[in-house]
Amino acid sequence: MKKLLTGVLSVAIMLSLLPVQASAEEAKQPWTNETLIAHGLGSIYGQTLTNSYEAFLVNYDKGYRVFEADLILTADNELAARHDWYQYLSERLQPTLPEHLKNGPLTLAEFKKHKILKAYKPLDLDGILEILVKYPDVYFVTDTKSEDPAVYKKQFELIVKKAKAIDPALLDRIVPELFEIDMIKDVKQIHDFPNYLFSIYMTGYTEKETIALVKKHNIKAVAMPVERATASMIDGLNKLGVPTYVHTVNDPYQVKRLQQIGVHGFYSDYIDYSTPMAPKLANAGTRLGGNVAAAR
């Protein structure tokens, strides 16, 4: 009976998360049509936060179209797709780095020289822009980490400058994750992105303050950690017509619970549109299957 209930729940969750089938018009659809965001470009063979090119390919193949990428400044002021520069992550993700380089920012050249988990291609801003060119149905959410105006202004100036040099329209598919109202204002001065995500995990705003700020500033989407996704918070934002994304959720029962209080979408490492808990539905939708081989 337990196995049966698990199977039924898994099918129900997958059907509720399944995106619209791919079509010629897909790239024109609002990014918030998607209910899943691949956290750190999603997991690859059980490994998380790799932010690697191969992780993108694997999770694109599973149906993801919105990808969260960690973007931080290198020692030479470029942007690398890495969560942080601390030693613990260097030892896990880039163990071939010399010991004296494992704690602290790397140059971009040094970062790109050492494969992730000795196997996968590290991504920088240029690599992410190349993906956007090649995959017109993909959006990137940028987690730039810093609340320091001097840092995040430099980050977004780089993003805007490099994207405009290739194709200004790419900026329409970059979704800045912004942490404060002042940060929203500052980034708008650099470029008025048509899409952005107000992420409250770094703030101490109360529920009432959050809802009031979203209404006052006409914010279109909000992200939050699981512990802040209360029924009253979600209900208040839903009444404003604002979709909510909760992070990071890897338990299908938690997905179901949060959906029941009105949460729209989820950042996840493992849950995807081809969840192995519902194998008969793995090929549902024309976007699922075969994309990794096609992308290589």
Side-chain angles (χ1 to χ4, degrees), residues 206-239:
T206 66
E207 288 184 15
K208 287 185 178 180
E209 287 171 336
T210 300
I211 294 165
L213 286 170
V214 168
K215 182 177 181 180
K216 179 179 178 179
H217 296 279
N218 196 29
I219 291 167
K220 302 299 184 184
V222 176
M224 67 191 72
V226 172
E227 61 269 18
R228 299 190 68 176
T230 63
S232 53
M233 172 79 91
I234 303 304
D235 182 61
L237 293 170
N238 282 343
K239 285 177 178 176

Side-chain angles (χ1 to χ4, degrees), residues 89-122:
L89 199 61
S90 291
E91 290 178 346
R92 181 167 83 84
L93 293 183
Q94 292 182 296
T96 58
L97 281 166
E99 285 300 318
H100 71 282
L101 292 178
K102 285 185 177 178
N103 191 19
L106 300 171
T107 63
L108 184 62
E110 200 70 53
F111 170 71
K112 294 177 72 175
K113 179 180 174 182
H114 296 268
K115 287 191 173 183
I116 306 297
L117 300 172
K118 300 182 182 180
Y120 308 130
K121 178 182 176 181

Side-chain angles (χ1 to χ4, degrees), residues 5-274:
L5 290 174
T6 298
V8 171
L9 176 60
S10 300
V11 171
I13 289 171
M14 183 174 175
L15 289 173
S16 67
L17 292 174
L18 195 67
V20 178
Q21 290 188 0
S23 71
E25 296 298 308
E26 185 174 22
K28 298 180 182 179
Q29 299 301 314
W31 75 272
T32 50
N33 278 9
E34 301 291 332
T35 52
L36 289 176
I37 299 174
H39 179 232
L41 301 191
S43 66
I44 178 167
Y45 300 115
Q47 296 290 333
T48 63
L49 293 179
T50 69
N51 284 284
S52 65
Y53 179 62
E54 290 81 1
F56 165 78
L57 293 178
V58 164
N59 289 290
Y60 184 92
D61 196 50
K62 291 178 179 179
Y64 275 97
R65 292 300 179 267
V66 182
F67 295 81
E68 183 237 26
D70 299 306
L71 287 173
I72 57 175
L73 288 170
T74 63
D76 48 349
N77 289 313
E78 297 291 342
L79 281 174
R82 184 162 146 160
H83 186 273
D84 59 66
W85 293 122
Y86 295 124
Q87 185 164 348
Y88 83 98
L89 199 61
S90 291
E91 290 178 346
R92 181 167 83 84
L93 293 183
Q94 292 182 296
T96 58
L97 281 166
E99 285 300 318
H100 71 282
L101 292 178
K102 285 185 177 178
N103 191 19
L106 300 171
T107 63
L108 184 62
E110 200 70 53
F111 170 71
K112 294 177 72 175
K113 179 180 174 182
H114 296 268
K115 287 191 173 183
I116 306 297
L117 300 172
K118 300 182 182 180
Y120 308 130
K121 178 182 176 181
L123 279 173
D124 61 354
L125 175 58
D126 290 342
I128 286 171
L129 293 173
E130 287 173 10
I131 289 171
L132 286 171
V133 170
K134 191 170 183 178
Y135 297 86
D137 55 348
V138 162
Y139 286 82
F140 271 98
V141 174
T142 64
D143 187 353
T144 49
K145 305 296 180 187
S146 181
E147 292 181 284
D148 181 345
V151 174
Y152 67 67
K153 285 179 183 179
K154 186 178 293 184
Q155 290 171 306
F156 282 101
E157 285 166 359
L158 274 171
I159 290 169
V160 171
K161 179 181 177 180
K162 290 200 170 191
K164 282 185 173 180
I166 299 169
D167 180 359
L170 296 180
L171 294 167
D172 293 351
R173 290 187 288 119
I174 292 174
V175 183
E177 186 174 5
L178 306 176
F179 312 120
E180 297 277 359
I181 297 301
D182 285 344
M183 187 178 182
I184 295 173
K185 293 176 180 177
D186 287 341
V187 171
K188 279 180 175 285
Q189 290 297 311
I190 297 167
H191 179 77
D192 192 5
F193 289 86
N195 303 298
Y196 66 90
L197 188 55
F198 183 41
S199 184
I200 62 171
Y201 81 93
M202 289 190 182
T203 72
Y205 298 132
T206 66
E207 288 184 15
K208 287 185 178 180
E209 287 171 336
T210 300
I211 294 165
L213 286 170
V214 168
K215 182 177 181 180
K216 179 179 178 179
H217 296 279
N218 196 29
I219 291 167
K220 302 299 184 184
V222 176
M224 67 191 72
V226 172
E227 61 269 18
R228 299 190 68 176
T230 63
S232 53
M233 172 79 91
I234 303 304
D235 182 61
L237 293 170
N238 282 343
K239 285 177 178 176
L240 297 176
V242 175
T244 52
Y245 288 85
V246 174
H247 55 80
T248 300
V249 183
N250 292 315
D251 180 351
Y253 287 93
Q254 193 169 59
V255 168
K256 186 65 176 177
R257 178 185 68 80
L258 291 165
Q259 284 180 324
Q260 287 173 342
I261 64 170
V263 171
H264 172 69
F266 306 89
Y267 292 61
S268 188
D269 299 303
Y270 303 113
I271 294 172
D272 58 62
Y273 299 120
S274 57

